[in-house]
């Protein structure tokens, strides 16, 4: 029994953290004990209605939930097919879904008596969500970030510092997310007694994929109740962008047991589905082990992680969360991609048609809706998860367009 208004998802990995062939815990010995401690603490919290009551109260008061499920009347009319709804995660505090997870994990850290929060961030969005949650609980926060990413994402570095976080530049390797993850792991191993590692997506070693999914499942629970209230029936399809996979698994989890609801994940097609030019793991990836999990990754024939590219930093990642790999293997969800150009065009169209500037990540899901809705019947109900707002992307959009001109 939980204090939640409706039940948590019931798809569980096995005791070793596997969803079918995917997931698990592929880490050095030194991380086995901290992950076991985390799993134990989460299992206890999961069974405690008081934990979920605190979580829901914070989502209401601090995050501003529930977020609306809004019908897109003008876009639907223009496209002339499926009726499109947006789940407005862009309206959550800090402008994206990531805060749902940060709040859940901060509550867990507090229960575990950890005073020091560490995280790693690529584009800075997860760093900002973590710094926000840590500040609200008066906890120390250290964010590892590749030195090159810090230069590219200066406004988010400034935001994290405003929130009182220490942002540590990582100058090893490629000076990006991969290296920041290694640095955060190193920190965790040497400060386990007082430190909580707050991971930002539904990936990494068990129990993170399940825990992050549970904290993001609020999106699916709300969307389900909202569409039933608005239309008196379930939707025909759910569409979400997939980076690590947390916003997608969060909304999918509300509908995964309803076989008639199609689940569609949209990855970053970048400039083309060719080596180094995209991040569509399900279009060119293969099984491998990456950052603590077994999943579908983009790798060369020697098993080295391939370079990835996307106009949206949040989708630009080598591996996909293991529950998505499992849903794809089962045939329960399907995965496609949107190209950079189509995502940018979708962002423009949504802005002008509906007055919503969405994140470039979310624009990939919108691009799928724009492409497919015209051929669908008018009684097809499609929900697109709008994972975040686009203010953070203004600079990137401007240079993208300048490059196109020259
Ligand atoms: C980080 C981010 C994503 C990608 O992460 P997931 O874990 O796949 O959800 C998508 N949208 C926005 C707005 C983000 O900030």
């Amino acid at each position: 029994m939980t204090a939640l208004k409706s039940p948590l998802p019931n798809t569980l990995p096995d005791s070793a953290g596997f969803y079918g062939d995917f997931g698990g815990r592929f880490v050095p010995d030194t991380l086995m004990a901290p992950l076991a401690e985390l799993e134990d603490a989460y299992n206890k919290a999961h069974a405690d209605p008081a934990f979920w009551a605190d979580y829901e109260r914070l989502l209401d008061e601090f995050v501003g939930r529930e977020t609306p499920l809004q019908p897109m009347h003008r876009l639907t009319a223009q496209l002339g097919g499926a009726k499109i709804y947006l789940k407005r995660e862009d309206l959550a505090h800090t402008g994206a879904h990531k805060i749902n997870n940060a709040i859940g994990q901060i509550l867990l850290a507090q229960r575990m008596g950890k005073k020091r929060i560490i995280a790693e961030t690529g584009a800075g969005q997860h760093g900002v969500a973590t710094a926000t949650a840590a500040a609200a609980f008066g906890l120390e926060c250290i964010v590892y970030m590749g030195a090159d990413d810090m230069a590219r994402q200066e406004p988010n570095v400034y935001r994290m510092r405003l929130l009182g976080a220490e942002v540590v530049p990582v100058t090893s390797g490629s000076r990006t997310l991969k290296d920041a993850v290694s640095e955060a792991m190193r920190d965790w191993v040497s400060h386990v007694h007082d430190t909580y590692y707050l991971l930002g997506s539904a990936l990494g070693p068990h129990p993170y994929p399940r825990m992050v999914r549970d904290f993001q499942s609020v999106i699916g629970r709300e969307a389900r109740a909202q569409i039933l209230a608005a239309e008196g029936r379930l939707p025909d399809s759910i569409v979400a962008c997939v980076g690590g996979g947390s916003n997608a698994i969060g909304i999918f989890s509300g509908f995964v047991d309803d076989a008639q609801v199609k689940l569609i994940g949209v990855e970053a097609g970048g400039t083309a589905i060719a080596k180094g030019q995209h991040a569509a793991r399900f279009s060119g990836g293969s099984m491998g082990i990456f950052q603590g999990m077994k999943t579908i990754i983009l790798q060369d024939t020697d098993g080295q992680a391939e370079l990835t590219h996307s106009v949206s930093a949040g989708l630009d990642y080598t591996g996909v969360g293991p529950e998505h790999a499992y849903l794809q293997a089962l045939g329960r969800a399907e995965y496609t991609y949107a190209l950079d150009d189509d995502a940018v065009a979708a962002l423009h169209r949504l802005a002008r048609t509906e007055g919503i500037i969405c994140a470039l990540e979310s624009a990939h899901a919108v691009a799928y809706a724009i492409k497919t809705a015209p051929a669908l019947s008018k009684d097809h109900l499609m929900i697109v998860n709008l994972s975040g707002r686009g203010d953070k992307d203004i600079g990137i959009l401007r240079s993208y367009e300048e490059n196109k001109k020259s």
Side-chain angles (χ1 to χ4, degrees), residues 96-98 125 201 241-247 314-315 359 361-362 387-388:
H97 68 290
K98 287 199 172 72
Q125 294 304 108
S201 189
C241 67
V242 183
S246 69
N247 85 88
L315 302 187
E361 290 84 2
S362 324
S387 54

Side-chain angles (χ1 to χ4, degrees), residues 343-404:
V344 170
L347 184 151
H348 280 276
R349 184 153 181 183
L350 188 69
R352 287 172 181 230
T353 311
E354 298 284 357
I356 299 167
I357 299 174
C358 70
L360 274 167
E361 290 84 2
S362 324
H364 286 69
V366 177
Y368 175 86
I370 290 172
K371 189 165 132 188
T372 59
L376 295 167
S377 79
K378 287 195 158 91
D379 60 13
H380 183 111
L381 295 178
M382 178 185 284
I383 299 179
V384 176
N385 198 28
L386 205 73
S387 54
R389 67 175 183 231
D391 310 46
K392 67 181 180 63
D393 293 323
I394 299 301
I396 293 162
L397 275 171
R398 192 182 286 138
S399 51
Y400 189 82
E401 263 125 53
E402 278 160 11
N403 287 339
K404 283 274 152 187

